[in-house]
Amino acid sequence: MKKISILLLFCFVFAWGRADEGMWLPIFLNYNEAEMQQLGFKLTAEDVYSVNHHSMKDAIVLFGGGCTAELISNQGLLLTNHHCGYSYVQRYSTLENNYLHNGFWAKSHEEEIPCAGLSVTFLVEMRDVTSQVLNGITDNMPENQRNELIDKNIKKVSKELVEGTHYTVDIKSFYYGNQYFAFINETYKDIRLVGTPPESIGKFGGDTDNWMWPRHTGDFSMYRIYADKNNQPAEYSKDNVPFTPKKHFTISTKGVEENDFTLVFGYPGTTQQFIISDAVDMTVNAINPIAIHQRGVRLDIMKKHMGTSTEIRLMYSGKSNSISNGWKKWIGENKGLIDCKVVEKKRLEEAQFEEWLQLNPDLNKQYGQVLPEMKNIYRDYRKAYSGVMYFMESVWAVEMMKFMYQNFTPIFRRIDKKNCTPEYLDSMRVRLPKQIDNFYASYYKPIDKECFVELLHYYFNEQNVNDLPETLKPYANISKEQLRMMADKIFDQSVYCDAENLKKFVASANEKSYKKLRSDLIFTIVNAAMDAYDRNYEVYTDSYNKLNSKYRLYVKALMLKEKDKTFYPDANLTMRVTYGQVKGFEPEDGKDYIYYTTLAGVIEKENPDIFDYKVDPKLKQLYEDKDFGRYANNKGEMPVAFIASNHTTGGNSGSPVINGHGELIGVNFDRVWEGTMSDINYDVNRCRNISLDIRYFLFIVDKFAGAQNLLDEMTLN
């Protein structure tokens, strides 16, 4: 057994060397160096990641909770995607100063807007801590005992790594717990908005073009990191100064050509390359269809109302963006998984795996039951996961239901426990009015009322009646007309659905009146649905944990079976490098996409009657005058975006796209719709990442915004 463990560690660390596919840990990039250089990389792995001297990693941050950004000046100037900072731009926009619609460009540091709650995180160092985390772990140890010991070891190692520093540490598992790495981080919390283009540029094409190629979106925004006088992290203060980074990227104005080397460096969120056929089948035929249908319904309703008012559009822009992104991605993911026959492909791999085990009696004894046990667990997992999704995408997606349950259930529970004291009710009289005002500030009742009807119709009619909560079974097969009558009663009469009446109620409410409020029809529905959700979620989490322990064994065995295959770890929001080449693609017969788009395509798509295709008059004038400055390509075109074969996913939004000389040539912001299945199955023939051409960014900042102060602090080549 000891020999097998050593061999596996060798496989985890040294099985490298495949261009295009893969999200590589930069600490081991020296094993990819030769291939990268063969593809056109002129530097070394040490230039990408080093703890001995400044390297590219020092110019890259985790932006907020799930995007990437890069430093483009020695004054802490950050570049990321427009959509990554969208919620902050929306937060500080008003009807008088609508930064979403008009854009924003700070002409001095004093004009920059502090973004409360926004932080960025630098990776200081990553370390392999597998031996410390798995210290004392044995193969026959019960799973709960194993987990307890691992948690204990992680706490011990974490404390030792950052004791006496202001750093934090995040220890994450890889290959389902076969290996562990520690990520030592430094977080800055004073981040300010510096520049963002209007939506007509930064979100051009909107939901229609999202995930699609050809693409013409100027998807970027700029922020600045501030630090104390010693360049250390600090909470917001007017006395803070622009951060001085260890490294920032030089920006190339030379552009890209087909087959050029590209490297994307960032924080990809989640991939699932090792999942078995049952998981893929569940995704395609059970989980994605629920989310796709329900989010499509919500988007249609929101868009209809957003088109009637600037105020409603401003109110619901962030919400619709969040809903749309996953909705369209899952449609493309399903198409790709079906087109590429991934379920069948996985079944074949599993059959080959079981045949291999039959030829190895010792290994068959150890791993022979892993696949059958996983398939058995997936039966319960699929049913429970479906129940969870029906609730989350239906009942919980009705804004009023979610708000009401989250804010009033704690009071009802206090009443049940006979702990609803006068002091507690007094505290609610202070807290709840603020929550009510915050909710209603971005709430439009007609949208939610329509969503209630459409979403609950699906919830009550698409599920098996036996899967509905007992008290809600009478609503099985309810008609939309009946739900509209119910919605009229709830949204027009319930105290929950009127901000002023609800605040008046809270101001004088006692235990008796809260008990009466509890019997309101809207609470009765969501409470019963939540009980069913809780039962499903318990089975879901139990099955998920069981599956993870089985995947740990399955992946171990896979690596023993295929010693010569490249295995890279699944993405888990830790720093990764992916590399490939600028390339067009042929998604299907008769379609042949070239690798770049230009400003001419923006003009061709212009449609003043459709919000997402309105073109700013100034941008149009610049195009007509061909006033592109030094940023045009050698054909005189103004490039906007390009595609390449880098393996990316959510979290890579905002990642720098780097050429063979280590210069910034683009900003990653999306994948092509035909390749969104790459989280599960990467296919080099159809998977492409979409990046903003850095020349378009410079053109907008220079010619459109006239923000010479920002250009002056960048290093251009």
Side-chain angles (χ1 to χ4, degrees), residues 150-204:
I150 285 175
D151 288 343
K152 181 180 177 182
N153 288 343
I154 285 175
K155 288 177 182 177
K156 180 176 182 292
V157 176
S158 298
K159 182 180 178 181
E160 291 171 351
L161 284 173
V162 297
E163 196 165 19
T165 74
H166 66 274
Y167 299 144
T168 59
V169 65
D170 190 11
I171 294 179
K172 292 197 174 185
S173 72
F174 291 76
Y175 306 104
Y176 294 92
N178 282 300
Q179 197 168 12
Y180 288 83
F181 281 86
F183 297 83
I184 301 169
N185 299 315
E186 184 176 36
T187 299
Y188 286 77
K189 298 182 179 181
D190 186 352
I191 313 299
R192 308 182 193 183
L193 176 64
V194 174
T196 188
E199 275 188 296
S200 59
I201 293 173
K203 199 172 176 287
F204 182 80

Side-chain angles (χ1 to χ4, degrees), residues 510-528:
N510 55 31
E511 186 172 324
K512 184 178 179 181
S513 54
Y514 272 120
K515 284 181 179 178
K516 185 178 179 181
L517 187 66
R518 189 178 194 169
S519 63
D520 195 291
L521 179 59
I522 191 171
F523 182 80
T524 301
I525 294 172
V526 71
N527 192 50

Side-chain angles (χ1 to χ4, degrees), residues 413-562:
R413 287 176 178 165
R414 283 258 188 165
I415 292 172
D416 289 342
K417 294 177 180 178
K418 302 187 185 306
N419 191 29
C420 191
T421 64
E423 292 79 13
Y424 177 73
L425 289 178
D426 285 342
S427 71
M428 290 298 100
R429 291 186 186 104
V430 174
R431 186 183 74 83
L432 283 175
K434 296 177 183 176
Q435 299 297 105
I436 293 166
D437 286 340
N438 289 339
F439 173 73
Y440 273 92
S442 61
Y443 178 73
Y444 187 60
K445 189 189 295 186
I447 288 178
D448 207 29
K449 189 175 179 180
E450 285 190 50
C451 286
F452 175 91
V453 173
E454 296 295 333
L455 298 181
L456 290 193
H457 184 262
Y458 186 86
Y459 178 81
F460 288 128
N461 285 270
E462 290 301 316
Q463 291 189 83
N464 186 303
V465 65
N466 294 323
D467 294 331
L468 287 171
E470 196 63 36
T471 57
L472 297 184
K473 285 182 179 178
Y475 295 120
N477 301 314
I478 191 171
S479 70
K480 288 186 181 180
E481 186 55 39
Q482 289 172 305
L483 281 167
R484 287 189 189 98
M485 293 171 63
M486 186 187 297
D488 287 339
K489 181 178 180 180
I490 289 173
F491 286 88
D492 296 342
Q493 299 178 23
S494 173
V495 68
Y496 289 117
C497 299
D498 184 281
E500 293 308 313
N501 286 339
L502 187 56
K503 285 193 287 186
K504 287 178 184 177
F505 171 87
V506 169
S508 60
N510 55 31
E511 186 172 324
K512 184 178 179 181
S513 54
Y514 272 120
K515 284 181 179 178
K516 185 178 179 181
L517 187 66
R518 189 178 194 169
S519 63
D520 195 291
L521 179 59
I522 191 171
F523 182 80
T524 301
I525 294 172
V526 71
N527 192 50
M530 178 61 80
D531 286 343
Y533 165 82
D534 287 340
R535 289 191 294 273
N536 280 317
Y537 191 74
E538 185 177 351
V539 177
Y540 165 84
T541 52
D542 181 60
S543 299
Y544 179 83
N545 292 332
K546 287 178 181 176
L547 284 168
N548 271 348
S549 67
K550 299 301 178 184
Y551 271 117
R552 185 177 68 248
L553 298 174
Y554 181 57
V555 171
K556 254 190 183 183
L558 277 180
M559 290 183 170
L560 288 171
K561 174 180 178 290
E562 302 182 54

Side-chain angles (χ1 to χ4, degrees), residues 596-654:
Y596 73 100
T597 59
T598 70
L599 185 55
V602 174
I603 305 304
E604 289 169 4
K605 286 181 175 179
E606 181 184 20
N607 186 335
D609 296 327
I610 300 176
F611 183 86
D612 290 335
Y613 292 109
K614 291 181 179 180
V615 177
D616 189 285
K618 184 173 182 179
L619 182 64
K620 189 172 184 179
Q621 190 63 53
L622 288 167
Y623 171 77
E624 290 174 352
D625 295 341
K626 297 295 182 283
D627 186 7
F628 306 147
R630 62 185 290 193
Y631 312 116
N633 64 18
N634 55 17
K635 295 180 181 179
E637 302 164 322
M638 184 61 248
V640 172
F642 64 89
I643 51 175
S645 59
N646 302 90
H647 189 180
T648 61
T649 187
N652 276 125
S653 290

Side-chain angles (χ1 to χ4, degrees), residues 9-25:
L9 183 59
F10 182 86
C11 289
F12 292 142
V13 175
F14 295 100
W16 305 78
R18 171 72 177 94
D20 306 315
E21 181 178 4
M23 297 178 178
W24 312 111
L25 286 167

